[in-house]
Structure formats: C-alpha cells, structure tokens
Amino acid sequence: VATVESHAAKKLYQDPVFWLVVLAGLLHTAVHYATYFPPTRETFQGLPYFNLHALHEAEFLAIVSFAAYRYRLLGGAIILGFTLLASVPYSLTPFIFSLGTTQANAAAGYSDYYGGPQLSAQPAISLELRDRALEILVILAVGAFITILAERMAREKDRRMQALLELQLSHRRLSTLYASSETLTNSIALSDTVRNIVDVVAKHPGPSRAVGLYLFNPDTKTLLLTGRSGIDQDTARQINLIPLGASMELFQRVSSLSVDANTCPPEFKPACHLMRAQGFESTILVPFKFQEQLLGLLLVSNPSPDVSPEERALLDGLGHQAALAVHNAQLFESEKRERALAEEMLKSLRQQRT
C-alpha cells in the first residue's frame, strides 16, 4: 500500500497541471495577504472581486472541486489548506479595511447594510468577524464534503475497475487452461506431451519468457532438462542435469516458488544466474506431482522482476495439468515397453519351439 501511495504522490508532483493549480492557490493567498500592507491595501480595496463574496467563494469551490476530481484526496486537501490560509486576512477584513474611517462609521455601515437598529462600534465589528468566520467554516465544510465525495466516487470506480480486471484475468486464465487441457489430452507419447506443455507455457499471452521442463528420475534423484523454449543451446548444456538435495522436501510441499538470482534454491543457483545473464529478472519454479510423487518441474523465467498473482495461479494450474499429462504419458510409455518386451519374449519362445 505504501508503494502505491508513494507512486501516486510521485505522479501527482510530476503533473504540470497540478503545479498550475498550486500556483493559482498561492497567488490567491498572496493577494489576500497583500491587504495587510498599506502600500498595496488601497489597490486591492477598490477591486470588485473583494466585494463580490459569492464570486470569491465560487472560485475557491471550483478549484477545490477540480483538485479533488483530478488528484483525489491529496489534491483536495492541499487546496483546502490554501483556502484556510487565504481566509485569515479575509476574516480580519473589518480590522484591515474597516467599513468606514472610524468605528462609529463602521457601526452605521453595518446597520445600513444588514438593517436593524443602530449598533455601537465594537459590536458591529464583532458581528462582522462572527459572520466572516461562519462563512469561512461553511466554505471549508463544503469543500471538505466535495473532496470526500470525489474520493469515495474514485474509490468505487477503482473497485469496479479492479473487479472487471480480475474477471478478465480469470477468464483468460480459464481459457488458457481449457486450451492447454485440450492440447494435452491429444498427447499420448511422452515426447509430444513435453513439447506441448512447453509450447502452452511459452505462448501464453504476455512478455516473452524462457521455459524449461525437467523430468525427475527417482532412482538418481536428478532432474533432466527434457524440453525448452527461449533457452539457448549453451545454457541448456550447462543446466541440463540438476541433482536434487535439500530442495527435494521443499518441492514436495509447495505448488510454485518465485525466486531471483539471490533467493534461488542452491541446486538452481547456476540456472537462475544464467537466466539473469540472458535478461530474465525473475524465475518461477513449478514442481508437478501426482499423488504426492514428484514427476518433474517447470522452470519459467520472466523479464520482469515482479510476478503477478495471476501468473502464479496460471502456472499452478498448468503444473497440475502437466502432472496428469506426464503421468499418463509415462504410463503409456511403460505399457508400450512392457508390451514390446512381452512380444519379444513370445517371439523368442516361438522360435525355440520351432
């Protein structure tokens, strides 16, 4: 979450439109504070802008609304901060400009403007301060409401977009698994099965990846590279045979393992380093098992250092399909060898009888 927020803040500060909004807020605030100084007070006192409070408030709300819509909570909060700063001299206008030349004239002006009995000087200015403070509070409350409302709407939009994205990714994953299931169902020979598994993983939509399929030999406790895609001949020769040591227990427990050159299991360190030398930043190791028996392993290297959960889920599913396909192919190969042996023995017996 912190990374996402940091990225959003970086994007915000790199947006030139954001700095134009900030500049507008700073200029607006500077004009307000210029009324504190006698040389500039006379200039700004005569501007209609300072007497048209509705226009003044509408401008601030428009800036807050735009900032909240474009930059969400952070942008709205920044402009609200400018609003609060700019409101300080505005709230003290009775002391800066006054309503006349004396406090008595101020009281008369207040009574003429609002109607009602003649007020003394001090209550008139106090009432003016109160009204301006209430006006500022209302503006800030409306601006905060707009900002919170815009943030809630943006979050709801993000939630719906995320749900749609997850639905699309899930549909793509299921479509890929269905297509791979159809492909592997038609594979009988072990060599065809290995080639089809590698092709399905390598051709999955996304960045180009390197794929290696290892078959496990339970007698020698080794993994033999049987199929590959995106791995050159020299690299394949160096990682052709991998003996399994301590990682054997690990691969029995996990469905997939995302690693890089530093976190790779000891047996796969050379493979991970060689993959990185080819420009692949991350590697996923997907052991495939049938009835808790390790049959082999998929090595999938990606150019991106980050592996999405969807990619992991897809490879896990392909690992389950690969386990079933390899198991069936091995059974077919075993039965074919046994049938060939039986036919050879039968042929030998017939020759002995004759």
Side-chain angles (χ1 to χ4, degrees), residues 99 102-121 124:
L99 295 176
T102 64
Q103 289 190 346
N105 288 337
Y110 187 89
S111 298
D112 292 340
Y113 184 77
Y114 289 101
Q118 182 71 32
L119 298 173
S120 61

Side-chain angles (χ1 to χ4, degrees), residues 82-129:
F82 282 134
T83 306
L84 181 60
L85 288 174
S87 298
V88 174
Y90 173 73
S91 64
L92 298 177
T93 299
F95 290 114
I96 299 172
F97 291 156
S98 185
L99 295 176
T101 56
T102 64
Q103 289 190 346
N105 288 337
Y110 187 89
S111 298
D112 292 340
Y113 184 77
Y114 289 101
Q118 182 71 32
L119 298 173
S120 61
Q122 191 60 38
I125 294 178
S126 298
L127 288 173
E128 179 72 1
L129 287 173

Side-chain angles (χ1 to χ4, degrees), residues 129-144:
L129 287 173
R130 181 203 66 186
D131 293 346
R132 288 178 181 268
L134 288 174
E135 184 179 347
I136 292 168
L137 287 175
V138 169
I139 291 296
L140 291 175
V142 173

Side-chain angles (χ1 to χ4, degrees), residues 21-231:
V21 174
V22 170
L23 180 62
L26 285 172
L27 290 175
H28 191 116
T29 304
V31 169
H32 273 254
Y33 277 87
T35 60
Y36 276 132
F37 304 99
T40 55
R41 186 179 305 166
E42 295 297 328
T43 302
F44 291 110
Q45 186 177 10
L47 293 176
Y49 172 78
F50 278 89
N51 297 321
L52 297 175
H53 298 313
L55 178 63
H56 185 80
E57 295 162 2
E59 179 215 6
F60 258 128
L61 289 179
I63 297 176
V64 169
S65 301
F66 174 78
Y69 172 76
R70 187 177 177 95
Y71 306 112
R72 299 182 55 164
L73 188 62
L74 181 59
I78 290 174
I79 301 303
L80 279 175
F82 282 134
T83 306
L84 181 60
L85 288 174
S87 298
V88 174
Y90 173 73
S91 64
L92 298 177
T93 299
F95 290 114
I96 299 172
F97 291 156
S98 185
L99 295 176
T101 56
T102 64
Q103 289 190 346
N105 288 337
Y110 187 89
S111 298
D112 292 340
Y113 184 77
Y114 289 101
Q118 182 71 32
L119 298 173
S120 61
Q122 191 60 38
I125 294 178
S126 298
L127 288 173
E128 179 72 1
L129 287 173
R130 181 203 66 186
D131 293 346
R132 288 178 181 268
L134 288 174
E135 184 179 347
I136 292 168
L137 287 175
V138 169
I139 291 296
L140 291 175
V142 173
F145 173 77
I146 291 174
T147 300
I148 294 172
L149 181 62
E151 177 65 18
R152 288 179 63 89
M153 292 174 64
R155 289 187 179 184
E156 178 64 19
K157 180 181 177 182
D158 289 347
R159 186 189 66 79
R160 293 184 179 183
M161 290 297 294
Q162 182 64 28
L164 178 60
L165 178 61
E166 290 177 358
L167 184 62
Q168 290 174 341
L169 291 174
S170 179
H171 179 266
R172 190 179 70 177
R173 176 167 60 90
L174 292 175
S175 298
T176 302
L177 290 175
Y178 176 76
S180 65
S181 176
E182 289 290 309
T183 301
L184 295 177
T185 300
N186 298 324
S187 303
I188 300 178
L190 183 60
S191 58
D192 293 339
T193 300
V194 169
R195 184 177 62 254
N196 288 334
I197 292 172
V198 171
D199 287 345
V200 166
V201 177
K203 294 177 180 178
H204 173 64
S208 59
R209 54 179 69 83
V211 181
L213 189 147
Y214 289 84
L215 291 181
F216 179 64
N217 187 331
D219 297 326
T220 60
K221 299 290 192 297
T222 56
L223 289 168
L224 178 65
L225 183 62
T226 313
R228 60 188 172 90
S229 174
I231 302 176

Side-chain angles (χ1 to χ4, degrees), residues 329-347:
Q330 288 177 338
L331 283 179
F332 174 77
E333 295 286 335
S334 177
E335 290 178 3
K336 189 167 68 170
R337 285 194 301 269
E338 290 176 1
R339 185 168 57 249
L341 180 60
E343 290 176 353
E344 184 66 28
M345 291 177 63
L346 183 59
K347 182 179 179 181

